[in-house]
Amino acid sequence: MGVINFINHDGKQHVVELEVGKSLMQIAMDNGVSGIDADCGGACACGTCHIVVDTKWINAAGSVMDDELQMLEMTPEKKPTSRLSCQIKASESMDGMIVHVPEFQM
Ligand code: FES
């Protein structure tokens, strides 16, 4: 058991239970984290589950596949550690991970 820290653009922090095997998007939605729309339900087709992983945690988030990368290229607020939260599967090595939720989804 561990936690994931979602931080909204206004500094509001949501510390939620890390549920191994679920996507970070699903964990956020299940715990009422605001700012993630997830319009396509996790199919890597909408880009509205954009998050920015804290630089210390980017390796724990795993690698980015081509379809995720293409979707991120269309994201106006893209940062070097941007990811789609539906494409990150929670694992025990993510205990304590910090992710930032941008002000707007596309
Ligand atoms: S929920 Fe649509 S791309 Fe992640």
Side-chain angles (χ1 to χ4, degrees), residues 25 37-49 71 84-87:
M25 177 276 277
D37 297 338
D39 291 339
C40 77
C44 197
C46 70
T48 63
C49 64
M71 198 55 68
L84 295 180
S85 57
C86 71
Q87 300 301 303

Side-chain angles (χ1 to χ4, degrees), residues 1-2 17-23 27 89-94:
M1 193 103 71
E17 185 182 328
L18 186 163
E19 294 175 74
V20 172
K22 274 192 179 179
S23 70
I27 291 173
K89 193 171 276 192
S91 67
E92 277 148 14
S93 63
M94 295 179 187

